[in-house]
Amino acid sequence: MGPRFRTWLLLGEFLFQAAASGKSRGALKKVLNEEISSESETEGKAEDEYLEETAQEKKLRLAKLYLDQLRAEDVSVTYAADLRLLRGHKLPVTCLVVSPDDKFIFSASKDCSIIKWDVESGRKLRTVPGGRKGTEDRHVGHTAHILCMAISSDGKYLATGDMNKLIMIWEATTCKHLYKFTGHRDAVSGLSFRKGTHDLYSASHDRSIKVWNVDENAYVETMFGHQDVITGLDSLSRERCVTAGGRDQTVRVWKIAEESQLVFHGHEGSIDCIQLINEEHMISGADDGSLALWSVNKKKPLCTVKRAHGCHGDEGLEQPYWISAVTALHNTDAVASGSHNSKVQLWRCGEGYRSLQPLFSIPVVGFVNSLKFSNSGNFLVAGVGQEHRLGRWWRIKEAKNGLYIIPLKKRDSEPEQSSTNGE
């Protein structure tokens, strides 16, 4: 199918959606008649910020963006009830995932253990205990801090990665150990299954991205590009993944089939976490306290919020709270961020993902090392610890190592709030 045919197919759908929603054809005409000189360029951005984009491709992109806005549920959320704290890990929780049906949560910790939780009751269903260093040849499980985990979109496989360079594959239902992937030369810091497949992407402090076929228990390929340790990775349905490059201060989009990458600059500190909002947009957080919203088609952020969680320290020596976790409710305008300033912050993306509007914050004491929305958007889970997942720079003694389940409820509309943009 050629690009021109895809465009007209899309536009036909666009007209149908517009008619169904009461939108005028004038809106479509306005989108499609827009010239190559985009909004960002009229705001003084460089002409090359849109990457390899022709006029036809731009029209297609704008039409798709408008379609996404029509189809995406406006799911601005509000905090609904009391928090629930699930405790079972002895050391800080470092990562977590929610099962596709929202019935279970899997969490992992610096104590090297994995726990499967029942969301409704809060009970532990399965525990894979951590082992001592030096027992790798006989212990079934991890013997080093677990830094990341991922679950396949059909809920079949769970993957976990640790400081000891290992990736382990588990049967999610029973937590039975299946495979061990070796090949990374340093800590495994990011994992993500490509949606709708059992292809697994992994990122490491060795600065590489690897691709694995879990069904075949097979290694596929390795890609390089980052100049510092990779601190986070995410993917959706497309054959690509996005990564945060720590102190090389880049976000990268990896096109797996083409074996190519796109490089994005915007943060002034170490980029420690990243998450896709949809196939076209992503959010990242850094230790300079900033949150950034990106389009995969632009080299610079669409929006940056500096000191998103405030500052700490004596007057004149204030430092921003590091952003230690971000997440997004896929294909909506809802995102969340975590730090160690005793709160999880909920945000709403403004029109065109060009602003972030603070919605509300939830009190959570400790380092928020991982955040995940449930697939339904009915709750948010925060993995919390007394220490940051990657180090021991500070210790918050009053924090509890555990999972906070934060109930949410959706609301269709709310008063417009002033946007926050720290640029």
Side-chain angles (χ1 to χ4, degrees), residues 75-77 277 283-284 289-293 303-310 323 325-329 332-339 341 343-350 355-362 371 373 380 414 417-422:
V75 293
S76 296
V77 292
I277 301 171
I283 186 166
S284 61
S290 66
L291 280 174
L293 273 175
C303 161
T304 301
V305 180
K306 297 182 178 179
R307 299 174 292 280
H309 280 249
I323 306 300
V326 292
T327 190
L329 184 53
T332 75
D333 59 2
V335 298
S337 59
S339 184
N341 67 323
K343 66 177 67 171
V344 170
Q345 181 65 48
L346 270 287
W347 307 82
R348 181 179 182 178
C349 301
S355 65
L356 277 170
Q357 302 158 356
L359 291 176
F360 56 89
S361 59
I362 302 113
L371 284 169
F373 280 105
L380 174 68
E414 61 182 324
Q417 300 188 39
S418 59
S419 65
T420 301
N421 194 327

Side-chain angles (χ1 to χ4, degrees), residues 222-324:
T222 301
M223 295 173 292
F224 293 95
H226 277 293
Q227 303 302 304
D228 191 38
V229 301
I230 303 173
T231 53
L233 175 148
D234 195 26
S235 68
L236 287 174
S237 298
R238 291 182 181 174
E239 195 175 359
R240 61 169 60 175
C241 62
V242 299
T243 53
R247 297 204 174 278
D248 78 4
Q249 299 180 351
T250 68
V251 164
R252 298 186 186 225
V253 175
W254 303 80
K255 297 182 178 181
I256 308 300
E258 294 92 335
E259 296 185 358
S260 65
Q261 58 189 283
L262 302 174
V263 184
F264 303 78
H265 295 271
H267 288 288
E268 296 175 358
S270 175
I271 308 174
D272 289 345
C273 45
I274 190 164
Q275 196 90 54
L276 282 159
I277 301 171
N278 52 42
E279 295 285 11
E280 303 291 334
H281 299 91
M282 51 193 170
I283 186 166
S284 61
D287 70 0
D288 63 2
S290 66
L291 280 174
L293 273 175
W294 308 80
S295 163
V296 297
N297 295 308
K298 285 191 67 179
K299 293 180 179 178
K300 299 291 183 182
L302 298 174
C303 161
T304 301
V305 180
K306 297 182 178 179
R307 299 174 292 280
H309 280 249
C311 295
H312 62 96
D314 297 333
E315 186 175 354
L317 299 172
E318 298 93 346
Q319 294 292 320
Y321 282 101
W322 297 2
I323 306 300
S324 51

Side-chain angles (χ1 to χ4, degrees), residues 14 103 133 157 233 285 301 337:
F14 186 104
K103 292 182 179 180
K133 185 177 181 181
Y157 295 118
L233 175 148
S337 59

Side-chain angles (χ1 to χ4, degrees), residues 147-177:
L147 295 183
C148 53
M149 66 189 338
I151 191 167
S152 58
S153 55
D154 61 358
K156 182 177 182 180
Y157 295 118
L158 179 75
T160 52
D162 69 15
M163 293 282 289
N164 205 27
K165 315 172 192 176
L166 297 177
I167 299 169
M168 297 202 183
I169 307 298
W170 312 82
E171 183 181 76
T173 303
T174 62
C175 290
K176 175 187 175 183
H177 182 262

Side-chain angles (χ1 to χ4, degrees), residues 160-201:
T160 52
D162 69 15
M163 293 282 289
N164 205 27
K165 315 172 192 176
L166 297 177
I167 299 169
M168 297 202 183
I169 307 298
W170 312 82
E171 183 181 76
T173 303
T174 62
C175 290
K176 175 187 175 183
H177 182 262
L178 299 176
Y179 313 127
K180 182 186 294 184
F181 290 161
T182 60
H184 279 298
R185 293 173 295 167
D186 205 337
V188 180
S189 52
L191 289 168
S192 181
F193 280 96
R194 181 184 173 198
K195 193 173 181 181
T197 78
H198 293 143
D199 294 337
L200 178 68
Y201 304 131

